[in-house]
Amino acid sequence: MDDFPTPTPRPQKGRSKGTKFLVVCALAVLMAIPALLVFALLMERTNRAEGVAREIGDQMGGEQVFLGPVIQIPYVIPTRTSTDEKGNRVVLAQESGNLIVFPQTGKANAATKSDVRSRSIFRVPVYTADLSFDAVFDLKDVQASRPGAVLMWDKAQLVTGATDSRGARKDIVAQINGASAMLAPSGPGVTGFSPDGTDFDLFAAPLSLSDTATPLNIKVGMTFTGTRKLGILAYGKSSEATITGDWKYPSFGGGFLPATRQTDEAARQGGFSAQWSVPFIARGLPAVIDQSQMMTLGKSELSVTFVEPTNPYQSVGRSLKYALLFVGLVFLTYFLFESTSKKELHPAQYILVGLAQITFYLLLLSFAERIGFDAAFVVAAGATVTLIAGYAGLIFHSRWRFIAAFAVFSALYALIYVLMRMEDYALLVGACSAFLVIAAVMVLTRNINWYGSRAEGE
């Protein structure tokens, strides 16, 4: 029996580059867990800020939406009748309701003065608004809009409204064909006036409508406070509205955008002016409606929102959405340094680098609440880049590695800032940057032996 030669044992192979790369990728994904914890903290701070805004809103009137003057007319419709012994008609059953008559033309003007109320570190924009409403009513065709109904002209009322009467700073006075009338609270509001379905606080004054053939001219003035948003419903068959103010950062919204607007800081010291014009056909409601249809008027809101530019939560939240991408890019940079040197890093070192990056978002959030987002980004990014670049220089024992890491990481965090500020182009810039980074990595790793100690020919 022949003896077989004892095979010579091959040297033990170390971990291949490919395996290490997969481990690094898994560690980058693992960093999503602490990123989610930071996101939960961000949500808690955001909810706290919203709570403060509601508390201040309870005192100032909250986000106000106003209804200009309309006329409410009660009516009844006989549904069952009979005849008495004398041949007179007797109503046995009837339906009742209220008609809402909109003016033929409605013009609204609101002039606002803004301020900022602070509670602890939270800031809320507030305003005082002087509003005036002009309305011209044509009542001669109201009866024709409800044939068979008996209109109670003697019980007609002039009605206006606001979402929160606690914001009133003066009594509401109306000029009805030149005669003054004081409006009083009219009880519970009607659900559905505004898009979110909240009730309006209504104010009313009795009208004496003995002559319905003559146009009725009404002017109403009021002064209210509110927070963050002011809106006016298109209360006329044809409506025009003008809102002016001194707030530097207005945002226009509602059912219609303004026909003209001006936000020139040089010309208006940072103020704004906006004008709306809503024709009859665009409003989508007839000149006379039943009160139950008022909920659809909320779609015609004309509004301006007082944006708080120092609110950091939206920007920090947007940056967190890219956390996994930028953690992965930093890990990839460390992996390239490791692949081109004789130093092998332990997974624990990658985790430390990842935690340092997650701490960047904590620094950004905490400093942004105090000094604003831009200054906070400089502080948090500067500290984080210096830390992870210095760590690269220490563990690779190379000054050039530190310089290269500092340059690369500075570019990465500069890219984060660009993505935060370029809202409309953030996706485009982020996608192009990711493509270029992947292309660069493919070129730089083209000569890496991903199988480690395995020979070229094996």
Side-chain angles (χ1 to χ4, degrees), residues 213-294:
T214 303
L216 189 63
N217 295 283
I218 296 178
K219 297 179 183 295
V220 176
M222 58 180 73
T223 300
F224 272 74
T225 59
T227 61
R228 300 196 294 188
K229 189 184 84 169
L230 184 150
I232 298 173
L233 299 180
Y235 67 98
K237 183 178 176 182
S238 175
S239 302
E240 295 180 2
T242 300
I243 303 178
T244 60
D246 55 0
W247 189 255
K248 294 182 180 181
Y249 309 99
S251 176
F252 305 105
F256 301 88
L257 291 177
T260 61
R261 60 185 178 180
Q262 180 182 5
T263 56
D264 187 351
E265 294 189 20
R268 300 185 51 79
Q269 291 77 45
F272 70 91
S273 175
Q275 295 180 329
W276 287 262
S277 179
V278 182
F280 176 44
I281 194 172
R283 196 180 67 139
L285 284 174
V288 181
I289 64 172
D290 194 86
Q291 183 171 302
S292 61
Q293 297 176 269
M294 282 295 288

Side-chain angles (χ1 to χ4, degrees), residues 70-71 153-158 176 205-209 216 218:
V70 298
I71 295 177
W153 293 99
D154 58 327
K155 296 182 179 180
Q157 294 187 91
L158 169 66
I176 305 172
L207 290 173
S208 178
L209 299 175
L216 189 63
I218 296 178

Side-chain angles (χ1 to χ4, degrees), residues 16 37 47 265 365 431 436:
S16 70
L37 297 178
N47 292 334
E265 294 189 20
L365 176 60
L436 292 176

Side-chain angles (χ1 to χ4, degrees), residues 314-336:
Q314 185 177 5
S315 296
V316 175
R318 194 181 305 119
S319 66
L320 267 172
K321 295 177 182 178
Y322 296 93
L324 186 58
L325 171 63
F326 287 97
V327 168
L329 292 177
V330 171
F331 278 16
L332 190 57
T333 303
Y334 266 82
F335 177 75
L336 289 176

Side-chain angles (χ1 to χ4, degrees), residues 77-252:
I77 301 177
T79 57
R80 195 173 65 177
T81 62
S82 66
T83 305
D84 61 11
E85 297 176 354
K86 298 180 180 180
N88 297 323
R89 184 188 180 196
V90 179
V91 176
L92 300 178
Q94 63 185 17
E95 294 180 357
S96 62
N98 292 297
L99 290 183
I100 302 296
V101 181
F102 296 109
Q104 291 294 306
T105 59
K107 295 182 179 181
N109 288 276
T112 64
K113 288 187 176 180
S114 307
D115 198 1
V116 175
R117 295 291 175 89
S118 299
R119 181 168 297 177
S120 183
I121 61 175
F122 303 105
R123 295 161 48 92
V124 181
V126 300
Y127 62 83
T128 300
D130 293 317
L131 300 107
S132 62
F133 299 93
D134 293 343
V136 179
F137 291 87
D138 185 359
L139 304 175
K140 62 180 180 293
D141 295 326
V142 174
Q143 180 65 67
S145 67
R146 284 297 184 276
V150 179
L151 303 185
M152 302 178 186
W153 293 99
D154 58 327
K155 296 182 179 180
Q157 294 187 91
L158 169 66
V159 178
T160 65
T163 49
D164 196 336
S165 60
R166 291 175 297 179
R169 290 300 176 262
K170 293 181 181 179
D171 289 330
I172 302 175
V173 179
Q175 299 291 326
I176 305 172
N177 280 346
S180 297
M182 186 78 69
L183 275 71
S186 66
V190 180
T191 300
F193 272 53
S194 60
D196 58 1
T198 56
D199 291 344
F200 260 51
D201 293 333
L202 301 180
F203 319 107
L207 290 173
S208 178
L209 299 175
S210 57
D211 180 13
T212 60
T214 303
L216 189 63
N217 295 283
I218 296 178
K219 297 179 183 295
V220 176
M222 58 180 73
T223 300
F224 272 74
T225 59
T227 61
R228 300 196 294 188
K229 189 184 84 169
L230 184 150
I232 298 173
L233 299 180
Y235 67 98
K237 183 178 176 182
S238 175
S239 302
E240 295 180 2
T242 300
I243 303 178
T244 60
D246 55 0
W247 189 255
K248 294 182 180 181
Y249 309 99
S251 176
F252 305 105

Side-chain angles (χ1 to χ4, degrees), residues 7-39:
T8 303
R10 300 181 61 179
Q12 185 178 1
K13 295 188 293 185
R15 179 183 294 158
S16 70
K17 296 295 183 182
T19 302
K20 185 61 175 289
F21 180 76
L22 295 177
V23 171
V24 170
C25 291
L27 293 175
V29 174
L30 187 65
M31 288 297 105
I33 296 176
L36 288 175
L37 297 178
V38 176
F39 186 78

